Amino acid sequence: PKNFPLEGAFSVDEVYQQLETLYSKGLDMGVSCEMPKINLRFVKGYLTTITGIPGHGKSDFTDMICMNLLRHNGWKGAFYSPENKPTELHLSKLICKFIGKSWTGEHRVTPMEVATCAGYLNQNIWWIKPEKDFTLDSILSSIKQLKDRFGIDYFVIDAWNKLEHKYTESETKYIGESLDKIAVFCENEHLH
């Protein structure tokens, strides 16, 4: 008689094909963000968390990584970034990072560079602003829709404190569960 599969358990046979792929192709080493003196690699299906002191450049650093992932690897992305407002200000920062020039001053981006880069980013970058609520589930739902429709490769939630948090137990437990939810989402959707 044939046994029914056990829920939550599996055998070697069920992962052997992946084992053969690992042997023949090696471990996915991801892609580099191509930042001199910074050896960061990004693999779809994983989560990167950037923490630090408020006002010390985490968002700018993250934006630079994202623009380099697009420039060097073609990775499309989405931002839930309510602190970066108005959106056109955030877009201007992304354009400057992508082109490598400043918005003002002697070596500023030209109107043609702004128009060309904005057109390129229009095909590769999206912003998330849910209409109903700002919960993690709502944000992840928008991200899934963007992935399904446009094939995004990564998403940014910046900043954590701008989500609508609903927890009844300890904050630490809630944060752990939320990070687990994001990690599983990344793995299931093959996103970073």
Side-chain angles (χ1 to χ4, degrees), residues 45-65:
Y46 289 86
L47 165 70
T48 297
T49 303
I50 298 173
T51 65
I53 300 168
H56 279 67
K58 296 178 300 296
S59 295
D60 277 334
F61 180 66
T62 301
D63 287 351
M64 189 66 188
I65 289 170

Side-chain angles (χ1 to χ4, degrees), residues 10-77:
F10 53 90
S11 68
V12 170
D13 284 345
E14 294 172 74
V15 296
Y16 192 76
Q17 185 176 4
Q18 293 91 328
L19 180 68
E20 287 179 324
T21 301
L22 177 62
Y23 182 80
S24 63
K25 294 184 178 180
L27 187 64
D28 183 355
M29 299 304 290
V31 297
S32 172
C33 65
E34 302 293 333
M35 295 174 75
K37 299 184 181 181
I38 298 176
N39 185 19
L40 287 176
R41 300 193 68 81
F42 297 88
V43 180
K44 292 179 190 176
Y46 289 86
L47 165 70
T48 297
T49 303
I50 298 173
T51 65
I53 300 168
H56 279 67
K58 296 178 300 296
S59 295
D60 277 334
F61 180 66
T62 301
D63 287 351
M64 189 66 188
I65 289 170
C66 293
M67 290 301 92
N68 280 3
L69 288 172
L70 173 58
R71 181 186 305 110
H72 298 289
N73 303 289
W75 277 28
K76 298 177 179 185

Side-chain angles (χ1 to χ4, degrees), residues 47-122:
L47 165 70
T48 297
T49 303
I50 298 173
T51 65
I53 300 168
H56 279 67
K58 296 178 300 296
S59 295
D60 277 334
F61 180 66
T62 301
D63 287 351
M64 189 66 188
I65 289 170
C66 293
M67 290 301 92
N68 280 3
L69 288 172
L70 173 58
R71 181 186 305 110
H72 298 289
N73 303 289
W75 277 28
K76 298 177 179 185
F79 290 87
Y80 171 72
S81 190
E83 287 184 339
N84 268 310
K85 60 183 178 183
T87 304
E88 59 269 20
L89 178 59
H90 190 202
L91 177 56
S92 73
K93 293 176 185 180
L94 295 177
I95 288 171
C96 289
K97 285 172 179 55
F98 193 84
I99 293 176
K101 291 184 176 180
S102 64
W103 193 253
T104 59
E106 187 177 336
H107 301 289
R108 72 185 296 194
V109 290
T110 67
M112 178 64 85
E113 288 171 326
V114 170
T116 302
C117 190
Y120 181 70
L121 294 181
N122 186 54

